[in-house]
Amino acid sequence: MCLVMASRHATDTRGIRRRRLGLMMGAAVLALVVVIVLISRGGSSNGPLERAVTEFAAEVSSDGYGAARPVLQGMSPARGTVTAGNVRRSGSRAEATLRWRWALPFDRSWSYTTGATFVLRQRRWLPVFSPRLVQPSLRDGDVLRLTVTQAPRAAILAGDGRPIVVPRPVVNVGVEPKRVHNLPQLAQTLHQVLGTDPTALTRAVRSAPPTAFVPVITLRREAYERLRTVLYPLPGTVFTTGTLPLAPTRTFARSLLGVTGNPTAQMLNASHGRYTASMTVGLSGLEQTFDNSLAGTPGLTVAVLDPHGNTVGTLYRVAPRAGTPLRTTLEVPAQNAADAALSGVRQPSALVAIRISTGKVIASAIGPDPGAYNIAFQGTFPPGSTFKIVTTLALLDQGEHPSDTVNCPADISIDGRQFHNAEHEVLGPITFAHAFAASCNTAFAGLAPRVSGTTLPRTAAMLGLGRALSIGVPAFAGEVPAPTDPVDRAAEAFGQGQILVSPLAMVSAAAAVARGRWLPPELVEDRAASGSRGGSPLPSGPVATLRTLMREVVTSGTANALASQPGLPVYGKTGTAETGTSTPPRTDAWFVGYQGDVAFAALVANTANGFGGAVAAPIVGRFLAKLQP
């Protein structure tokens, strides 16, 4: 059935303005732009017809043409443009050709042609509405509906090409309010078993409809099976199954790989139609950084729905295109070893490992929460005595010799500032090699004038500290400012003062010593790192001597707990950085070094006066032991 829609006379300008303002304020999200190009036949007598078509176009342009709005509302967030072709008049009737072009999400488009009819009533041209004015296939009561179908999400791969993150079975644990017998007891039991918030769950259940599925937690299938005998019998619990892109274990490089889930409200608003609320998207880590390529391109369907909501036709369809796998440099055995090495550590901790020959990151783990802020890459910590690697390289390059005698008192005063050794150890006159192996702070503070000015920042940069990194996720390469006074210079000589590093920065420095040249760490295959592909070769004589000194740290120094470590010799340097203002101060415990082709950096932050050799070195020992064939 055709309806003649009343229009306004061209001279009723105030009425037009009032109605258009109201329509624009109450319009739906759909943005429809109409451009009318009138090709009239018959001379100036078509002037009123042209004005009528123009007014009709203006109403549709502002989403104010009421009869068309319900038909098009389901097309959001697509944007339509309508261009009028020939307008032909025959007595009191006129036909206009309309060319529709839809700008669909994901840079796709859809075009077709319709016709609009106008009739002359009491010297006014009025549009005749029909759904076919919007799309030729529509009947009375039909509407258009745009549907976005998510593409299969691609896997994140290990360095050998094996999938790391793939769809794995999960169980969604929920509560159905009408099945609950005792809500406080249920909420408390779930808190004890799953660690969920009982207050939040109680509030959610009480505010939900009786038959709603109130989500509690999503568990890997194997985790659910371990808890099934406890969870399943609880009155009120309900369960659904599905799949999610997941790594082999809950801990596997979780902070680095990131997690997926439904987009947040903020992400939905910023996506301009790319996301829907039910999609799975990257929320952190590599999953978020490379979401566009991993997610692929969703499919689009424009369907015709009848008044009952049934699909009665499909007008446009493009199949989804699967995402592109992301190949990382991670090695599964190394990552499992790193995760296991941190197991049981209660303080914030991190372990990063790199292939010396290539600069590729083979493992990155953090604890105690593997999904927390990625301190392995982004942490900013004072390096403590691990920075003596930098200072020693600078001193050796200035002519210092391992056999030279240096003094190691318990304390040393520099311009009124007291510096001391751990536990105020006194070694007296010793060789420089001994001072490095025993990690004597006062000896290095006393040697600081020999590496004045920009010597330390320049040497640090040769080992990669402070260089810009671009590896696929945020990463902190370190800050080594030039010391401004003798006190600052003395503090920096043994890794305190204003120096900050991340575990990633320190493992890159250790790898540079082993290799003889710095290479930017690589995490994603075929992704060029920013800046130079590598630094200049390190001075061959000093770096060879430095390696010897790092071996002595293990054989007779502060890391002698690793002296009998199986496999190839271990080289390294411990570090203990004081932090905070408490007495005694809290400490960050470090051990960095290498064995064979693997460089490593381990950090345990905010310990109760823990030392690198006692706290961090054993973590590396566990890591290396698990890497043995």
Side-chain angles (χ1 to χ4, degrees):
M1 177 166 122
C2 291
L3 262 158
V4 177
M5 306 300 296
S7 183
R8 292 169 299 284
H9 193 275
T11 59
D12 188 10
T13 57
R14 287 181 298 175
I16 292 174
R17 291 193 187 101
R18 284 194 299 268
R19 185 175 175 192
R20 284 182 183 166
L21 178 61
L23 288 169
M24 285 188 287
M25 293 176 65
V29 174
L30 175 66
L32 184 62
V33 177
V34 178
V35 179
I36 298 293
V37 180
L38 293 174
I39 306 174
S40 59
R41 305 289 176 86
S44 61
S45 61
N46 281 345
L49 173 59
E50 294 177 2
R51 287 195 299 271
V53 176
T54 301
E55 286 189 2
F56 171 73
E59 288 196 72
V60 181
S61 176
S62 64
D63 194 29
Y65 190 61
R69 191 186 309 144
V71 179
L72 297 172
Q73 204 162 19
M75 287 295 291
S76 178
R79 185 176 181 86
T81 301
V82 181
T83 304
N86 290 345
V87 178
R88 299 180 181 276
R89 176 181 175 180
S90 178
S92 61
R93 193 175 183 89
E95 301 290 337
T97 299
L98 304 179
R99 300 187 183 94
W100 291 70
R101 186 182 185 279
W102 288 94
L104 301 175
F106 318 113
D107 296 322
R108 292 168 176 161
S109 62
W110 175 42
S111 302
Y112 55 85
T113 301
T114 66
T117 300
F118 289 79
V119 295
L120 186 63
R121 294 285 189 271
Q122 297 179 351
R123 305 177 69 178
R124 297 171 61 194
W125 287 100
L126 304 177
V128 180
F129 178 74
S130 165
R132 287 176 290 278
L133 179 151
V134 176
Q135 216 290 327
S137 302
L138 299 181
R139 299 181 179 181
D140 290 344
D142 289 349
V143 297
L144 296 178
R145 176 66 50 81
L146 172 65
T147 303
V148 179
T149 304
Q150 186 163 20
R153 191 173 184 87
I156 295 180
L157 310 178
D160 60 3
R162 287 186 294 171
I164 297 175
V165 178
V166 295
R168 301 180 194 273
V170 296
V171 176
N172 303 302
V173 181
V175 171
E176 188 173 342
K178 75 173 186 178
R179 297 173 180 262
V180 177
H181 295 170
N182 186 326
L183 180 55
Q185 181 179 337
L186 174 63
Q188 190 60 36
T189 301
L190 292 175
H191 167 68
Q192 294 170 354
V193 176
L194 302 172
T196 53
D197 184 344
T199 302
L201 178 60
T202 299
R203 184 166 52 247
V205 172
R206 285 177 175 166
S207 62
T211 59
F213 181 94
V214 180
V216 176
I217 196 171
T218 298
L219 298 173
R220 292 170 180 263
R221 183 78 203 198
E222 59 271 23
Y224 166 75
E225 293 298 339
R226 290 194 296 269
L227 300 172
R228 186 180 186 279
T229 56
V230 177
L231 295 175
Y232 192 80
L234 295 175
T237 54
V238 287
F239 310 88
T240 62
T241 60
T243 62
L244 280 178
L246 297 171
T249 67
R250 179 181 176 273
T251 59
F252 192 100
R254 188 175 176 190
S255 66
L256 182 59
L257 298 176
V259 296
T260 60
N262 297 134
T264 64
Q266 183 179 9
M267 293 173 68
L268 286 172
N269 292 336
S271 72
H272 302 293
R274 183 180 184 275
Y275 295 148
T276 63
S278 61
M279 281 184 170
T280 298
V281 303
L283 299 176
S284 62
L286 292 172
E287 290 282 8
Q288 183 179 48
T289 301
F290 294 93
D291 185 68
N292 283 349
S293 58
L294 289 168
T297 305
L300 296 177
T301 303
V302 179
V304 179
L305 275 59
D306 67 16
H308 304 291
N310 301 313
T311 300
V312 294
T314 299
L315 304 177
Y316 176 91
R317 175 178 289 158
V318 175
R321 293 199 301 267
T324 302
L326 179 70
R327 186 166 178 171
T328 71
T329 60
L330 296 177
E331 297 180 11
V332 173
Q335 184 60 49
N336 286 333
D339 291 332
L342 290 184
S343 177
V345 179
R346 299 305 174 200
Q347 294 82 23
S349 53
L351 194 157
V352 185
I354 282 180
R355 283 281 168 208
I356 296 169
S357 55
T358 62
K360 294 181 178 181
V361 176
I362 63 172
S364 175
I366 67 167
D369 179 0
Y373 180 74
N374 187 6
I375 62 172
F377 279 35
Q378 296 175 262
T380 55
F381 300 93
S385 291
T386 61
F387 192 77
K388 289 172 184 171
I389 293 173
V390 177
T391 308
T392 296
L393 182 61
L395 287 167
L396 293 171
D397 198 37
Q398 295 288 330
E400 191 74 27
H401 193 275
S403 61
D404 289 347
T405 300
V406 297
N407 192 29
C408 182
D411 304 275
I412 186 172
S413 178
I414 307 291
D415 277 10
R417 169 77 179 273
Q418 290 292 118
F419 296 97
H420 61 85
N421 293 323
E423 299 181 326
H424 297 277
E425 181 181 39
V426 179
L427 298 178
I430 56 175
T431 65
F432 177 63
H434 189 182
F436 183 84
S439 203
C440 178
N441 292 341
T442 56
F444 274 78
L447 292 169
R450 302 188 188 182
V451 286
S452 59
T454 61
T455 301
L456 286 182
R458 186 172 62 251
T459 306
M462 293 175 65
L463 297 175
L465 299 181
R467 293 191 178 217
L469 298 176
S470 177
I471 61 174
V473 292
F476 178 63
E479 294 176 356
V480 185
T484 57
D485 54 50
V487 171
D488 196 24
R489 184 175 61 207
E492 289 198 357
F494 59 95
Q496 295 278 178
Q498 304 301 312
I499 301 173
L500 294 172
V501 297
S502 66
L504 176 66
M506 288 310 298
V507 73
S508 298
V513 172
R515 188 188 303 114
R517 174 174 172 264
W518 178 75
L519 287 178
E522 183 181 347
L523 177 63
V524 177
E525 296 280 6
D526 303 323
R527 178 184 174 90
S530 67
S532 170
R533 277 302 303 164
S536 301
L538 300 175
S540 58
V543 78
T545 303
L546 176 58
R547 295 179 193 130
T548 301
L549 298 180
M550 291 175 68
R551 178 58 181 160
E552 291 183 18
V553 170
V554 177
T555 58
S556 60
T558 53
N560 59 4
L562 299 179
S564 60
Q565 187 74 26
L568 296 171
V570 176
Y571 299 75
K573 183 69 190 78
T574 58
T576 305
E578 295 182 352
T579 62
T581 58
S582 62
T583 304
R586 308 288 290 184
T587 58
D588 295 338
W590 288 89
F591 185 58
V592 306
Y594 59 94
Q595 181 190 50
D597 193 36
V598 177
F600 46 76
L603 165 72
V604 181
N606 197 30
T607 70
N609 204 30
F611 297 105
V615 175
I619 291 174
V620 170
R622 294 197 294 270
F623 168 69
L624 296 177
K626 289 184 177 295
L627 281 185
Q628 297 300 316

